[in-house]
PDB file of all heavy atoms in Angstrom:
ATOM      1  N   SER T  26     -11.459 -35.236  40.648  1.00 98.00           N
ATOM      2  CA  SER T  26     -12.507 -35.959  41.367  1.00 98.00           C
ATOM      3  C   SER T  26     -12.367 -37.462  41.361  1.00 98.00           C
ATOM      4  O   SER T  26     -11.799 -38.047  40.400  1.00 98.00           O
ATOM      5  CB  SER T  26     -13.919 -35.535  40.798  1.00 98.00           C
ATOM      6  OG  SER T  26     -14.198 -34.177  40.838  1.00 98.00           O
ATOM      7  N   LEU T  27     -12.817 -38.055  42.413  1.00 98.00           N
ATOM      8  CA  LEU T  27     -13.015 -39.491  42.545  1.00 98.00           C
ATOM      9  C   LEU T  27     -14.201 -39.814  43.296  1.00 98.00           C
ATOM     10  O   LEU T  27     -14.678 -39.026  44.122  1.00 98.00           O
ATOM     11  CB  LEU T  27     -11.748 -40.106  43.325  1.00 98.00           C
ATOM     12  CG  LEU T  27     -10.404 -40.264  42.559  1.00 98.00           C
ATOM     13  CD1 LEU T  27      -9.282 -40.749  43.553  1.00 98.00           C
ATOM     14  CD2 LEU T  27     -10.481 -41.224  41.410  1.00 98.00           C
ATOM     15  N   ARG T  28     -14.659 -41.056  42.981  1.00 98.00           N
ATOM     16  CA  ARG T  28     -15.853 -41.497  43.771  1.00 98.00           C
ATOM     17  C   ARG T  28     -15.560 -42.799  44.412  1.00 98.00           C
ATOM     18  O   ARG T  28     -15.297 -43.800  43.674  1.00 98.00           O
ATOM     19  CB  ARG T  28     -17.126 -41.659  42.850  1.00 98.00           C
ATOM     20  CG  ARG T  28     -18.369 -41.904  43.682  1.00 98.00           C
ATOM     21  CD  ARG T  28     -19.460 -42.347  42.676  1.00 98.00           C
ATOM     22  NE  ARG T  28     -20.823 -42.359  43.353  1.00 98.00           N
ATOM     23  CZ  ARG T  28     -21.858 -43.008  42.882  1.00 98.00           C
ATOM     24  NH1 ARG T  28     -21.753 -43.844  41.857  1.00 98.00           N
ATOM     25  NH2 ARG T  28     -23.038 -42.894  43.443  1.00 98.00           N
ATOM     26  N   LEU T  29     -15.478 -42.847  45.676  1.00 98.00           N
ATOM     27  CA  LEU T  29     -15.332 -44.104  46.357  1.00 98.00           C
ATOM     28  C   LEU T  29     -16.674 -44.804  46.717  1.00 98.00           C
ATOM     29  O   LEU T  29     -17.615 -44.185  46.946  1.00 98.00           O
ATOM     30  CB  LEU T  29     -14.539 -43.810  47.682  1.00 98.00           C
ATOM     31  CG  LEU T  29     -13.216 -42.999  47.682  1.00 98.00           C
ATOM     32  CD1 LEU T  29     -12.650 -42.929  49.019  1.00 98.00           C
ATOM     33  CD2 LEU T  29     -12.286 -43.538  46.620  1.00 98.00           C
ATOM     34  N   SER T  30     -16.609 -46.160  46.694  1.00 98.00           N
ATOM     35  CA  SER T  30     -17.707 -46.955  47.045  1.00 98.00           C
ATOM     36  C   SER T  30     -17.291 -47.876  48.096  1.00 98.00           C
ATOM     37  O   SER T  30     -16.157 -48.256  48.257  1.00 98.00           O
ATOM     38  CB  SER T  30     -18.216 -47.728  45.842  1.00 98.00           C
ATOM     39  OG  SER T  30     -18.652 -46.841  44.781  1.00 98.00           O
ATOM     40  N   CYS T  31     -18.334 -48.353  48.868  1.00 98.00           N
ATOM     41  CA  CYS T  31     -18.106 -49.307  49.925  1.00 98.00           C
ATOM     42  C   CYS T  31     -19.309 -50.291  49.883  1.00 98.00           C
ATOM     43  O   CYS T  31     -20.339 -49.877  50.283  1.00 98.00           O
ATOM     44  CB  CYS T  31     -17.934 -48.633  51.263  1.00 98.00           C
ATOM     45  SG  CYS T  31     -17.861 -49.759  52.709  1.00 98.00           S
ATOM     46  N   ALA T  32     -18.982 -51.524  49.525  1.00 97.00           N
ATOM     47  CA  ALA T  32     -20.091 -52.525  49.413  1.00 97.00           C
ATOM     48  C   ALA T  32     -20.145 -53.271  50.731  1.00 97.00           C
ATOM     49  O   ALA T  32     -19.063 -53.806  51.178  1.00 97.00           O
ATOM     50  CB  ALA T  32     -19.790 -53.434  48.243  1.00 97.00           C
ATOM     51  N   ALA T  33     -21.286 -53.350  51.279  1.00 96.00           N
ATOM     52  CA  ALA T  33     -21.469 -54.092  52.596  1.00 96.00           C
ATOM     53  C   ALA T  33     -22.191 -55.422  52.333  1.00 96.00           C
ATOM     54  O   ALA T  33     -23.166 -55.533  51.497  1.00 96.00           O
ATOM     55  CB  ALA T  33     -22.191 -53.179  53.577  1.00 96.00           C
ATOM     56  N   SER T  34     -21.779 -56.411  53.149  1.00 92.00           N
ATOM     57  CA  SER T  34     -22.463 -57.663  53.107  1.00 92.00           C
ATOM     58  C   SER T  34     -22.262 -58.482  54.423  1.00 92.00           C
ATOM     59  O   SER T  34     -21.539 -57.918  55.300  1.00 92.00           O
ATOM     60  CB  SER T  34     -21.889 -58.538  51.893  1.00 92.00           C
ATOM     61  OG  SER T  34     -20.526 -58.789  52.162  1.00 92.00           O
ATOM     62  N   GLY T  35     -22.927 -59.581  54.511  1.00 90.00           N
ATOM     63  CA  GLY T  35     -22.760 -60.498  55.693  1.00 90.00           C
ATOM     64  C   GLY T  35     -23.558 -60.163  56.898  1.00 90.00           C
ATOM     65  O   GLY T  35     -23.300 -60.571  57.922  1.00 90.00           O
ATOM     66  N   PHE T  36     -24.667 -59.391  56.755  1.00 85.00           N
ATOM     67  CA  PHE T  36     -25.488 -59.058  57.837  1.00 85.00           C
ATOM     68  C   PHE T  36     -26.303 -60.291  58.361  1.00 85.00           C
ATOM     69  O   PHE T  36     -26.778 -61.042  57.548  1.00 85.00           O
ATOM     70  CB  PHE T  36     -26.503 -57.958  57.386  1.00 85.00           C
ATOM     71  CG  PHE T  36     -25.753 -56.680  56.967  1.00 85.00           C
ATOM     72  CD1 PHE T  36     -25.653 -56.399  55.588  1.00 85.00           C
ATOM     73  CD2 PHE T  36     -25.263 -55.864  57.943  1.00 85.00           C
ATOM     74  CE1 PHE T  36     -24.972 -55.291  55.290  1.00 85.00           C
ATOM     75  CE2 PHE T  36     -24.655 -54.652  57.525  1.00 85.00           C
ATOM     76  CZ  PHE T  36     -24.466 -54.471  56.182  1.00 85.00           C
ATOM     77  N   THR T  37     -26.409 -60.363  59.642  1.00 80.00           N
ATOM     78  CA  THR T  37     -27.115 -61.524  60.194  1.00 80.00           C
ATOM     79  C   THR T  37     -27.860 -60.991  61.433  1.00 80.00           C
ATOM     80  O   THR T  37     -27.846 -59.787  61.816  1.00 80.00           O
ATOM     81  CB  THR T  37     -26.117 -62.587  60.697  1.00 80.00           C
ATOM     82  OG1 THR T  37     -25.231 -62.066  61.692  1.00 80.00           O
ATOM     83  CG2 THR T  37     -25.304 -63.136  59.532  1.00 80.00           C
ATOM     84  N   SER T  38     -28.612 -61.910  62.049  1.00 75.00           N
ATOM     85  CA  SER T  38     -29.280 -61.634  63.287  1.00 75.00           C
ATOM     86  C   SER T  38     -30.377 -60.534  63.182  1.00 75.00           C
ATOM     87  O   SER T  38     -30.557 -59.779  64.073  1.00 75.00           O
ATOM     88  CB  SER T  38     -28.416 -61.350  64.430  1.00 75.00           C
ATOM     89  OG  SER T  38     -27.508 -62.351  64.706  1.00 75.00           O
ATOM     90  N   GLY T  39     -30.994 -60.524  62.000  1.00 76.00           N
ATOM     91  CA  GLY T  39     -32.076 -59.549  61.787  1.00 76.00           C
ATOM     92  C   GLY T  39     -31.481 -58.092  61.349  1.00 76.00           C
ATOM     93  O   GLY T  39     -32.332 -57.148  61.163  1.00 76.00           O
ATOM     94  N   PHE T  40     -30.222 -57.911  61.374  1.00 81.00           N
ATOM     95  CA  PHE T  40     -29.723 -56.624  60.996  1.00 81.00           C
ATOM     96  C   PHE T  40     -29.546 -56.546  59.560  1.00 81.00           C
ATOM     97  O   PHE T  40     -29.256 -57.531  58.848  1.00 81.00           O
ATOM     98  CB  PHE T  40     -28.330 -56.445  61.629  1.00 81.00           C
ATOM     99  CG  PHE T  40     -28.329 -56.010  63.105  1.00 81.00           C
ATOM    100  CD1 PHE T  40     -28.514 -56.939  64.118  1.00 81.00           C
ATOM    101  CD2 PHE T  40     -28.347 -54.664  63.415  1.00 81.00           C
ATOM    102  CE1 PHE T  40     -28.446 -56.523  65.390  1.00 81.00           C
ATOM    103  CE2 PHE T  40     -28.301 -54.309  64.759  1.00 81.00           C
ATOM    104  CZ  PHE T  40     -28.369 -55.287  65.792  1.00 81.00           C
ATOM    105  N   THR T  41     -29.727 -55.327  59.004  1.00 88.00           N
ATOM    106  CA  THR T  41     -29.450 -55.097  57.610  1.00 88.00           C
ATOM    107  C   THR T  41     -28.650 -53.811  57.494  1.00 88.00           C
ATOM    108  O   THR T  41     -28.397 -53.099  58.455  1.00 88.00           O
ATOM    109  CB  THR T  41     -30.738 -54.900  56.815  1.00 88.00           C
ATOM    110  OG1 THR T  41     -31.348 -53.689  57.243  1.00 88.00           O
ATOM    111  CG2 THR T  41     -31.728 -56.071  56.956  1.00 88.00           C
ATOM    112  N   PHE T  42     -28.287 -53.465  56.285  1.00 89.00           N
ATOM    113  CA  PHE T  42     -27.511 -52.214  56.008  1.00 89.00           C
ATOM    114  C   PHE T  42     -28.203 -51.042  56.600  1.00 89.00           C
ATOM    115  O   PHE T  42     -27.621 -50.048  57.093  1.00 89.00           O
ATOM    116  CB  PHE T  42     -27.237 -52.101  54.497  1.00 89.00           C
ATOM    117  CG  PHE T  42     -26.332 -51.005  54.194  1.00 89.00           C
ATOM    118  CD1 PHE T  42     -24.998 -50.934  54.643  1.00 89.00           C
ATOM    119  CD2 PHE T  42     -26.734 -49.990  53.328  1.00 89.00           C
ATOM    120  CE1 PHE T  42     -24.120 -49.942  54.309  1.00 89.00           C
ATOM    121  CE2 PHE T  42     -25.888 -48.869  53.031  1.00 89.00           C
ATOM    122  CZ  PHE T  42     -24.549 -48.948  53.443  1.00 89.00           C
ATOM    123  N   TRP T  43     -29.610 -51.191  56.510  1.00 88.00           N
ATOM    124  CA  TRP T  43     -30.434 -50.048  57.035  1.00 88.00           C
ATOM    125  C   TRP T  43     -30.210 -49.683  58.509  1.00 88.00           C
ATOM    126  O   TRP T  43     -30.498 -48.606  58.980  1.00 88.00           O
ATOM    127  CB  TRP T  43     -31.944 -50.451  56.950  1.00 88.00           C
ATOM    128  CG  TRP T  43     -32.461 -50.522  55.527  1.00 88.00           C
ATOM    129  CD1 TRP T  43     -32.236 -51.523  54.634  1.00 88.00           C
ATOM    130  CD2 TRP T  43     -33.298 -49.575  54.898  1.00 88.00           C
ATOM    131  NE1 TRP T  43     -32.881 -51.232  53.424  1.00 88.00           N
ATOM    132  CE2 TRP T  43     -33.558 -50.063  53.580  1.00 88.00           C
ATOM    133  CE3 TRP T  43     -33.911 -48.349  55.209  1.00 88.00           C
ATOM    134  CZ2 TRP T  43     -34.346 -49.410  52.645  1.00 88.00           C
ATOM    135  CZ3 TRP T  43     -34.671 -47.692  54.301  1.00 88.00           C
ATOM    136  CH2 TRP T  43     -34.892 -48.191  53.092  1.00 88.00           C
ATOM    137  N   ASN T  44     -29.719 -50.719  59.262  1.00 88.00           N
ATOM    138  CA  ASN T  44     -29.548 -50.511  60.713  1.00 88.00           C
ATOM    139  C   ASN T  44     -28.242 -49.896  61.170  1.00 88.00           C
ATOM    140  O   ASN T  44     -27.962 -49.680  62.291  1.00 88.00           O
ATOM    141  CB  ASN T  44     -29.703 -51.921  61.407  1.00 88.00           C
ATOM    142  CG  ASN T  44     -30.975 -52.573  61.179  1.00 88.00           C
ATOM    143  OD1 ASN T  44     -31.032 -53.663  60.557  1.00 88.00           O
ATOM    144  ND2 ASN T  44     -32.028 -51.907  61.637  1.00 88.00           N
ATOM    145  N   TYR T  45     -27.351 -49.685  60.152  1.00 92.00           N
ATOM    146  CA  TYR T  45     -26.068 -49.250  60.426  1.00 92.00           C
ATOM    147  C   TYR T  45     -25.707 -47.746  60.085  1.00 92.00           C
ATOM    148  O   TYR T  45     -26.090 -47.282  59.008  1.00 92.00           O
ATOM    149  CB  TYR T  45     -25.051 -50.021  59.639  1.00 92.00           C
ATOM    150  CG  TYR T  45     -24.822 -51.331  60.248  1.00 92.00           C
ATOM    151  CD1 TYR T  45     -25.703 -52.464  60.229  1.00 92.00           C
ATOM    152  CD2 TYR T  45     -23.659 -51.696  60.981  1.00 92.00           C
ATOM    153  CE1 TYR T  45     -25.628 -53.668  60.794  1.00 92.00           C
ATOM    154  CE2 TYR T  45     -23.403 -52.903  61.582  1.00 92.00           C
ATOM    155  CZ  TYR T  45     -24.417 -53.886  61.519  1.00 92.00           C
ATOM    156  OH  TYR T  45     -24.176 -55.067  62.145  1.00 92.00           O
ATOM    157  N   GLY T  46     -25.176 -47.042  61.016  1.00 95.00           N
ATOM    158  CA  GLY T  46     -24.573 -45.777  60.777  1.00 95.00           C
ATOM    159  C   GLY T  46     -23.176 -46.051  60.030  1.00 95.00           C
ATOM    160  O   GLY T  46     -22.580 -47.089  60.425  1.00 95.00           O
ATOM    161  N   MET T  47     -22.858 -45.212  59.109  1.00 97.00           N
ATOM    162  CA  MET T  47     -21.674 -45.528  58.277  1.00 97.00           C
ATOM    163  C   MET T  47     -20.793 -44.240  58.269  1.00 97.00           C
ATOM    164  O   MET T  47     -21.288 -43.210  58.432  1.00 97.00           O
ATOM    165  CB  MET T  47     -22.056 -45.853  56.897  1.00 97.00           C
ATOM    166  CG  MET T  47     -22.903 -47.169  56.733  1.00 97.00           C
ATOM    167  SD  MET T  47     -22.099 -48.617  57.326  1.00 97.00           S
ATOM    168  CE  MET T  47     -20.746 -48.757  56.190  1.00 97.00           C
ATOM    169  N   GLY T  48     -19.504 -44.479  58.080  1.00 97.00           N
ATOM    170  CA  GLY T  48     -18.585 -43.421  57.989  1.00 97.00           C
ATOM    171  C   GLY T  48     -17.436 -43.686  57.149  1.00 97.00           C
ATOM    172  O   GLY T  48     -17.136 -44.833  56.774  1.00 97.00           O
ATOM    173  N   TRP T  49     -16.772 -42.622  56.724  1.00 98.00           N
ATOM    174  CA  TRP T  49     -15.494 -42.614  55.963  1.00 98.00           C
ATOM    175  C   TRP T  49     -14.397 -41.991  56.865  1.00 98.00           C
ATOM    176  O   TRP T  49     -14.587 -40.928  57.369  1.00 98.00           O
ATOM    177  CB  TRP T  49     -15.582 -41.877  54.720  1.00 98.00           C
ATOM    178  CG  TRP T  49     -16.276 -42.543  53.612  1.00 98.00           C
ATOM    179  CD1 TRP T  49     -17.701 -42.236  53.285  1.00 98.00           C
ATOM    180  CD2 TRP T  49     -15.932 -43.579  52.739  1.00 98.00           C
ATOM    181  NE1 TRP T  49     -18.058 -43.142  52.229  1.00 98.00           N
ATOM    182  CE2 TRP T  49     -17.033 -43.921  51.849  1.00 98.00           C
ATOM    183  CE3 TRP T  49     -14.737 -44.284  52.584  1.00 98.00           C
ATOM    184  CZ2 TRP T  49     -16.932 -44.923  50.930  1.00 98.00           C
ATOM    185  CZ3 TRP T  49     -14.634 -45.276  51.621  1.00 98.00           C
ATOM    186  CH2 TRP T  49     -15.654 -45.530  50.820  1.00 98.00           C
ATOM    187  N   PHE T  50     -13.371 -42.703  56.980  1.00 98.00           N
ATOM    188  CA  PHE T  50     -12.065 -42.165  57.675  1.00 98.00           C
ATOM    189  C   PHE T  50     -10.901 -42.285  56.709  1.00 98.00           C
ATOM    190  O   PHE T  50     -11.005 -43.052  55.683  1.00 98.00           O
ATOM    191  CB  PHE T  50     -11.846 -43.013  58.899  1.00 98.00           C
ATOM    192  CG  PHE T  50     -13.040 -42.891  59.931  1.00 98.00           C
ATOM    193  CD1 PHE T  50     -14.192 -43.534  59.897  1.00 98.00           C
ATOM    194  CD2 PHE T  50     -12.757 -42.004  61.000  1.00 98.00           C
ATOM    195  CE1 PHE T  50     -15.155 -43.338  60.788  1.00 98.00           C
ATOM    196  CE2 PHE T  50     -13.776 -41.875  61.971  1.00 98.00           C
ATOM    197  CZ  PHE T  50     -14.864 -42.545  61.789  1.00 98.00           C
ATOM    198  N   ARG T  51      -9.906 -41.621  57.057  1.00 98.00           N
ATOM    199  CA  ARG T  51      -8.631 -41.776  56.166  1.00 98.00           C
ATOM    200  C   ARG T  51      -7.373 -41.692  57.031  1.00 98.00           C
ATOM    201  O   ARG T  51      -7.447 -41.077  58.112  1.00 98.00           O
ATOM    202  CB  ARG T  51      -8.610 -40.641  55.123  1.00 98.00           C
ATOM    203  CG  ARG T  51      -8.457 -39.166  55.719  1.00 98.00           C
ATOM    204  CD  ARG T  51      -8.626 -38.202  54.604  1.00 98.00           C
ATOM    205  NE  ARG T  51      -8.359 -36.795  55.035  1.00 98.00           N
ATOM    206  CZ  ARG T  51      -8.600 -35.789  54.312  1.00 98.00           C
ATOM    207  NH1 ARG T  51      -9.015 -35.829  53.110  1.00 98.00           N
ATOM    208  NH2 ARG T  51      -8.369 -34.460  54.804  1.00 98.00           N
ATOM    209  N   GLN T  52      -6.381 -42.278  56.479  1.00 98.00           N
ATOM    210  CA  GLN T  52      -5.087 -42.301  57.196  1.00 98.00           C
ATOM    211  C   GLN T  52      -3.954 -41.940  56.157  1.00 98.00           C
ATOM    212  O   GLN T  52      -3.768 -42.712  55.239  1.00 98.00           O
ATOM    213  CB  GLN T  52      -4.778 -43.575  57.883  1.00 98.00           C
ATOM    214  CG  GLN T  52      -3.565 -43.547  58.775  1.00 98.00           C
ATOM    215  CD  GLN T  52      -3.497 -44.769  59.635  1.00 98.00           C
ATOM    216  OE1 GLN T  52      -4.109 -45.769  59.361  1.00 98.00           O
ATOM    217  NE2 GLN T  52      -2.676 -44.694  60.692  1.00 98.00           N
ATOM    218  N   ALA T  53      -3.391 -40.750  56.373  1.00 97.00           N
ATOM    219  CA  ALA T  53      -2.221 -40.322  55.641  1.00 97.00           C
ATOM    220  C   ALA T  53      -0.982 -40.903  56.061  1.00 97.00           C
ATOM    221  O   ALA T  53      -0.906 -41.311  57.279  1.00 97.00           O
ATOM    222  CB  ALA T  53      -2.138 -38.790  55.591  1.00 97.00           C
ATOM    223  N   PRO T  54       0.022 -41.061  55.259  1.00 92.00           N
ATOM    224  CA  PRO T  54       1.273 -41.668  55.669  1.00 92.00           C
ATOM    225  C   PRO T  54       1.830 -40.973  56.897  1.00 92.00           C
ATOM    226  O   PRO T  54       1.975 -39.687  56.903  1.00 92.00           O
ATOM    227  CB  PRO T  54       2.213 -41.453  54.445  1.00 92.00           C
ATOM    228  CG  PRO T  54       1.185 -41.496  53.313  1.00 92.00           C
ATOM    229  CD  PRO T  54       0.039 -40.744  53.840  1.00 92.00           C
ATOM    230  N   GLY T  55       2.231 -41.723  57.969  1.00 95.00           N
ATOM    231  CA  GLY T  55       2.746 -41.116  59.122  1.00 95.00           C
ATOM    232  C   GLY T  55       1.915 -40.390  60.104  1.00 95.00           C
ATOM    233  O   GLY T  55       2.272 -39.741  60.994  1.00 95.00           O
ATOM    234  N   LYS T  56       0.593 -40.451  59.806  1.00 97.00           N
ATOM    235  CA  LYS T  56      -0.499 -39.681  60.532  1.00 97.00           C
ATOM    236  C   LYS T  56      -1.390 -40.712  61.128  1.00 97.00           C
ATOM    237  O   LYS T  56      -1.585 -41.812  60.648  1.00 97.00           O
ATOM    238  CB  LYS T  56      -1.085 -38.671  59.763  1.00 97.00           C
ATOM    239  CG  LYS T  56      -0.193 -37.628  59.283  1.00 97.00           C
ATOM    240  CD  LYS T  56      -0.962 -36.431  58.642  1.00 97.00           C
ATOM    241  CE  LYS T  56      -0.075 -35.258  58.265  1.00 97.00           C
ATOM    242  NZ  LYS T  56      -0.809 -34.141  57.642  1.00 97.00           N
TER     243      LYS T  56
END
């Protein structure tokens, strides 16, 4: 098992992390 984290910062113009849909994507070698 592993646990990945993604820390978000730099929100402006009234936006916060709450306003964002988030996703995880991956890219394997050659794909």
Side-chain angles (χ1 to χ4, degrees):
S26 298
L27 282 175
R28 189 193 197 201
L29 306 184
S30 298
C31 172
S34 63
F36 299 98
T37 61
S38 303
F40 281 85
T41 68
F42 188 62
W43 291 76
N44 301 117
Y45 280 74
M47 301 296 296
W49 286 100
F50 294 80
R51 67 186 182 186
Q52 187 167 20
K56 295 187 176 181

